[in-house]
Each structure stands twice: as structure tokens, then as C-alpha cells.
Amino acid sequence: MSLTKKTSDLKKRMRDALMGGGQVAIEKQKATGKMTARERIIALVDPKSFHEYDLFVEHAGKDFNMGDKYLPGDGVITGTGTINGYPVCIYAQDFTVAGGSLGYMHAKKITKIMDHAMKLKVPIIGINDSGGARIQEGVNSLAGYGEIFYRNTQASGVIPQISVILGPCAGGAVYSPALTDFVFVVDKISKMFITGPEVIKTVLGEEISMEELGGARVQSEITGNAHFFAESEQECFDQIKTLCSFIPWNNIKKAEAFPKKPPRSRSYNIDKIFPTNPRQPYDVKDIIRSIVDDSEFFEVQSMFAANIVIGFARLNGHTAGFVANQPLVLAGVLDVDSSDKAARFIRYCDAFNIPLVTLVDLPGYLPGVDQEHAGVIRHGAKVLYAYSEATVPKMTVILRKAYGGGYIAMCSSHLKADFVFAWPTAEIAVMGPEGAANIIFRNEIKNAENPEEMRKLKIKEYKEKFANPYVAAAYGYVDAVVEPAETRNMLIHALEISAEKIEVRPNKKHGIPPF
Ligand code: HXC
């Protein structure tokens, strides 16, 4: 056969393979508002940068008449490309081919591209649209997932792992994402569950729709399984590109530095955002925007445990991870969910050389039977563990309340913050003045001629003595009491002089953090 004929044979084979599950299945996919797997990759990576591999891989199923079936590429597309000019490894499951289900060769393609990502030290992005383990391939599909989970774990903290859920994902198709760093979902399109509604109906007799069971909103607001929520697939891909601009490509590198930009102070002015009345709530995200470059704050898990705010921003062009109590929600308390949310983010930043900035304003841990029985002790301990373990530069700013365990947990100098700044409005104490006065002056108040007057007097006395930053500053627990308007400058200086920070921890195989 001549070269021309061989080339045209290749082209025909490629055309057949590129049709995935065929025109009817593609139209069905599009009718549900979904892009095809290849369209998704093209929309995500830089133009013309995608190179596909293993297009001609064939499935290895033998049972249930699988031997006669043609499953192009075995239902998954793998390859390399670039995002923002930097290399990534990527795979996208093709729901038009056997529901994107994971058979032996499908899994081999994924593990091969994951191994590439680890060798090249670049991020791995997985677009999941799959019914999970391919039932007809039995233990071979389970083995495939096991191999993926093992690699997810080895890659954890070494290269960024990003999961996108773009379809009904069941079983292993959600466990692998759960092992990765960030999970992206799209309204109405993403569904995640271990077992779908059919199984739930059979086993428990309960009826529930896929959306109510594990839709994008459920995963973003209630479970916390998802980190980013988008209205459309395109918006989701734009979010991934933005995330990629903030994070380093592996755990040896630092995030790319950007040109420095001042905050947009007309829109975000601390004096206007921060209330004079200490009981009045405010939006801590606006405080962050008033401090950071171009007032751009890229929030993570914005819909889950909103009493704590986490996300990325830049200070003089350098990425920093922000953790801040949100006085607008539950007064910014730490509870089970907000502790989990903060602790995981702190560990992410630490693993990937991203300095941490913590903004403190909280009355402490949330009291209550529900919280105690939900394990607030072990969940809350995760924050202590994560901050204590972290060796990246750690800067803390106490804006207002820093009471009790909350003071210690929110990256205090005792957990080895490198710099602790406090605003003059800071109140650092074991508890709030009202509660404290009621306990320590109980007898004086009870025996006073006018107990109410005495209570007020004692609260005032307590406030003057403790509800300020100066006692902590006198012991050196606070490094500097700063005017709010000076915060940005103080943080930039602290961050820049910490650029080469090295902190060594005791040698160990690994710690045993509270789970
Ligand atoms: C083989 C599968 C499949 C699977 C879907 N398909 N899931 N084939 N193995 N796991 C096929 C369907 O037979 C169908 O083929 C096509 O994909 C589209 O599926 P539909 O059911 O028509 O689509 P939809 O109504 O949108 O429902 C999607 C779904 C549902 C919710 C994912 O298919 C489903 O519940 N699938 C089973 C999910 C599951 O229990 N997976 C096993 C998980 S266990 P045709 O030929 O008709 O087009 C697991 C083990 C690892 O993953 C766990 C590790 C901890």
C-alpha cells in the first residue's frame, strides 16, 4: 500500500474513532445542554494546544456480548495541552460511549496520562461524565478504579489535581474526584452520588431525583464535595483557567508572579466597610478586596460553610491563600463544616508553597449539642493541626474579636504564625465581655444594690482591661498594632521578606491529623 493510501486509511480510522458513540448519541448528549467530551477539552485548553493519545485503544470486555462491540477509544479521551501557556495532562470521559463507564482499557488510558502528569510534574485535569465501573467488565473495572485511586493519593500534594463533574457520575467516578484538590460542578448538568436513585429505590424504597440527591447545588451548598459552582460549562472552564493562574504547577514551584496592581479603593474602602459599632456585622470579603491587588478575590467553596471564607488573591503580584471568619454568617464562628473547609485549604496552600493570610473576627467555636455530637472536637482540631503543620509564610491580622479557642485556632503566634498584626479594634480575650463579667464578677453583681448597674460597670471594666490588642501586644503575642489602612503594606512587606522562609519539622513518615 502506498503512503497516500496508508495515510487515507489512518484518516478513516481517525474519523470513525472521533465519532465516539455516533451521531444519535452525540445529539442526545447535546440535547441535555452538554458539550461532547472533545469539545470540552478544546474549550478548556489554549487554542490548538490539545494533542490526543491512545485514540485507537480498544476495550477488553469479553462477556455479555461485549466482544462484538466497538467502543471508540474505550470511552475516554486523553492527551496533553496547555492552559495559560503552561502544560497540563487531561482526560475526558465520553458519555456517548457506554455511558462513559470505566472498563479495563479505559482505566489504563487514565492511569497512563496520570503517570505522565507525575513524570512531567504538571497538573492533571479529569473531566468526569461516567456511570462508574463498567458492569460488564466486573472485577477488571474495579481494579481500574483502584489503580486510579492509588495514583490520586500518590499525586496528592505533588501536582495539582482538578476534577470536573459534567454529567451523572456514580461510584468510582465520584470517589476519584473526592481524592483530588478541587471539584468543579455545573448547575443542572453535574450529578454526583455513590449509588443513584434507582438503587436507593430498590434498597430503601425511597424516591428521589438525581438533582435532589446529588445535583450541583446540593454538592456545593450542603455536602461541600464541590469547590466551584458554575451556571454553564463554559463558565466552569473559565473558572478552571482562573484557578490555574493562582496556583503553582507542582509542589516544587511557586505560583507565577503577576504585575502588581493596587486595590480598587473607590469601591473597597476599609473605613467605609468596617463598622464602628463592634456588634455590627460586615462582609469580610470586602475587607479582603480592600487589601489585595485589583481587589480580585477568587473564592473557593463560596456556597458551603459560609461562616468561613477561603480563596486566593494577590499581594504585589504574589499569590496568597486567604482564610477569614465571616461575621455576616453565624458571627463567623468555627463549627464542624467551617473547620473542615478551612483546614483542607490550609493544607493545600502549605503543600503548594502558597503563603497564608488569616483574618480573624470570631467569638470562638460554636456551642451546642448538635455540634458536640457531630464531632466538633475532632473537626475543630483539624484547624489547629493544619496551621501548626504549615510551614509556608503565615500572616495573621486580628480585626476584631479573637476569643477563646478561636483566638488560638486562627493562626495565632502560638501555632507559629510568622507575623501577627492587630487592628486597634481587636478584642483578644478568653471570652466576650458580657459572658466574662457574668462569671468572674458573679458575686459582686449578685450582692450589689443595683445588680444591672453593677453588671454594666463590670463589663466596662473588663472591656477596658482585656477587650483590646494591647495586653496581647505587651506579651509579644501580637507583633504590631496597625492602622487598618496600613494592613496591605504590612502584609506585602511580611510576604516579600518571607520569600525564602525555611522551617523544618521533625522527621516522620507522616502525621496523623484528626479526620
Ligand atoms: C455499563 C453503563 C453504566 C455502567 C451507564 N451505562 N452506566 N454501562 N456500566 N456502570 C450505560 C447504560 O447502560 C446506557 O447504555 C448508557 O450508559 C447511558 O446510560 P443511561 O442509564 O441511559 O443514562 P442516564 O439515564 O442519564 O443515567 C445515568 C446513570 C445510570 C445515573 C449513570 O446509567 C446509572 O445509574 N448507571 C449505573 C451506575 C452505577 O451503579 N455504577 C456502578 C458504580 S460502582 P445504552 O447502551 O443503553 O445507551 C463503582 C465501583 C467503584 O463505580 C466504587 C469504588 C469505591
Side-chain angles (χ1 to χ4, degrees):
M1 214 193 270
S2 69
L3 180 60
T4 323
K5 276 198 173 149
K6 287 208 166 182
T7 308
S8 72
D9 174 54
L10 165 68
K11 285 186 175 157
K12 185 189 171 308
R13 284 168 188 262
M14 285 176 82
R15 265 196 311 275
D16 290 347
L18 290 172
M19 277 310 286
Q23 200 54 42
V24 175
I26 291 173
E27 272 160 27
K28 199 173 158 200
Q29 167 110 342
K30 295 222 168 197
T32 57
K34 291 159 66 173
M35 295 184 189
T36 65
R38 265 186 202 83
E39 284 171 351
R40 286 166 171 167
I41 294 179
I42 302 300
L44 174 59
V45 299
D46 296 337
K48 298 207 166 81
S49 73
F50 181 61
H51 289 69
E52 183 171 347
Y53 314 114
D54 289 337
L55 176 64
F56 298 128
V57 158
E58 291 183 15
H59 75 84
K62 296 188 185 71
D63 302 318
F64 302 104
N65 300 325
M66 285 290 285
D68 313 331
K69 281 202 173 155
Y70 171 51
L71 302 181
D74 204 12
V76 64
I77 295 153
T78 60
T80 50
T82 61
I83 289 184
N84 306 334
Y86 292 98
V88 293
C89 288
I90 190 161
Y91 70 87
Q93 293 175 310
D94 184 350
F95 196 81
T96 67
V97 178
S101 58
L102 182 134
Y104 178 73
M105 292 308 292
H106 179 125
K108 279 248 168 209
K109 281 180 75 170
I110 294 179
T111 53
K112 189 170 161 189
I113 200 70
M114 290 174 86
D115 290 342
H116 267 301
M118 278 294 269
K119 278 185 277 184
L120 307 179
K121 294 281 177 289
V122 303
I124 175 86
I125 301 176
I127 301 179
N128 299 268
D129 190 357
S130 164
R134 186 173 299 151
I135 296 161
Q136 299 90 326
E137 291 197 34
V139 71
N140 271 335
S141 25
L142 299 180
Y145 266 125
E147 296 287 337
I148 293 172
F149 301 158
Y150 172 79
R151 282 167 178 78
N152 284 137
T153 310
Q154 302 313 308
S156 181
V158 181
I159 52 171
Q161 300 187 80
I162 293 171
S163 296
V164 195
I165 307 292
L166 290 180
C169 288
V174 294
Y175 267 129
S176 169
L179 289 166
T180 64
D181 305 329
F182 297 106
V183 176
F184 289 74
V185 290
V186 174
D187 198 18
K188 312 272 185 329
I189 289 178
S190 314
K191 278 113 190 143
M192 304 171 73
F193 29 74
I194 298 298
T195 49
E198 300 257 345
V199 179
I200 292 183
K201 195 172 164 191
T202 313
V203 178
L204 299 165
E206 292 172 5
E207 286 203 35
I208 187 160
S209 69
M210 278 200 222
E211 192 64 36
E212 288 169 306
L213 180 64
R217 273 187 193 280
V218 170
Q219 302 298 356
S220 304
E221 285 176 10
I222 300 174
T223 66
N225 286 329
H227 300 84
F228 295 96
F229 174 93
E231 300 287 346
S232 67
E233 295 197 8
Q234 189 55 58
E235 189 195 346
C236 169
F237 299 141
D238 292 342
Q239 288 174 343
I240 296 172
K241 287 180 215 177
T242 306
L243 173 69
C244 287
S245 77
F246 279 105
I247 59 175
W249 242 226
N250 56 50
N251 68 342
I252 297 160
K253 288 196 158 59
K254 286 191 176 180
E256 189 192 350
F258 276 64
K260 37 186 105 157
K261 280 186 179 172
R264 286 179 272 129
S265 48
R266 275 208 196 152
S267 313
Y268 301 102
N269 179 331
I270 293 185
D271 289 342
K272 291 196 180 127
I273 301 161
F274 193 68
T276 41
N277 175 356
R279 288 169 167 274
Q280 200 176 317
Y282 58 91
D283 189 348
V284 79
K285 288 185 228 175
D286 286 342
I287 299 284
I288 297 173
R289 292 186 185 107
S290 74
I291 292 171
V292 302
D293 288 17
D294 204 25
S295 300
E296 187 193 356
F297 177 53
F298 187 60
E299 193 178 355
V300 178
Q301 283 187 306
S302 63
M303 295 156 82
F304 177 69
N307 39 328
I308 204 144
V309 169
I310 56 173
F312 301 105
R314 294 188 186 91
L315 287 166
N316 247 14
H318 310 290
T319 294
F322 278 74
V323 180
N325 308 118
Q326 174 58 287
L328 276 186
V329 181
L330 292 172
V333 286
L334 279 171
D335 57 6
V336 167
D337 285 346
S338 62
S339 296
D340 283 2
K341 175 176 163 182
R344 192 167 186 277
F345 183 70
I346 294 160
R347 298 193 87 197
Y348 177 83
C349 290
D350 188 47
F352 286 98
N353 314 311
I354 297 174
L356 284 159
V357 176
T358 303
L359 303 185
V360 187
D361 187 351
L362 83 165
Y365 280 92
L366 182 64
V369 179
D370 288 353
Q371 284 293 305
E372 296 292 344
H373 288 188
V376 70
I377 297 173
R378 68 187 165 86
H379 289 279
K382 294 179 196 185
V383 181
L384 304 171
Y385 194 102
Y387 272 129
S388 302
E389 177 190 52
T391 55
V392 286
K394 297 185 283 194
M395 279 81 68
T396 302
V397 187
I398 303 174
L399 312 184
R400 210 163 59 173
K401 294 186 208 89
Y403 294 157
Y407 157 73
I408 307 169
M410 292 302 291
C411 206
S412 60
S413 61
H414 323 291
L415 305 188
K416 304 297 165 266
D418 297 296
F419 299 95
V420 178
F421 306 123
W423 287 4
T425 45
E427 301 174 19
I428 303 168
V430 174
M431 62 172 71
E434 288 79 8
N438 281 342
I439 294 172
I440 59 178
F441 303 120
R442 184 182 295 152
N443 288 337
E444 283 104 315
I445 294 172
K446 197 169 75 187
N447 300 332
E449 227 169 75
N450 184 339
E452 261 327 292
E453 275 306 305
M454 180 60 86
R455 190 191 316 277
K456 277 188 194 148
L457 203 72
K458 289 296 178 191
I459 289 173
K460 188 161 171 272
E461 193 182 312
Y462 182 89
K463 261 190 194 162
E464 276 159 15
K465 180 98 185 106
F466 289 122
N468 61 59
Y470 300 107
V471 180
Y475 285 104
Y477 300 149
V478 162
D479 298 299
V481 182
V482 301
E483 284 178 47
E486 273 303 299
T487 309
R488 175 175 160 84
N489 286 343
M490 298 295 282
L491 287 175
I492 288 174
H493 177 74
L495 191 126
E496 291 182 344
I497 61 162
S498 308
E500 304 298 323
K501 180 192 170 190
I502 295 175
E503 200 174 339
V504 180
R505 294 282 185 261
N507 249 341
K508 53 180 138 177
K509 191 171 169 193
H510 55 71
I512 304 152
F515 265 56

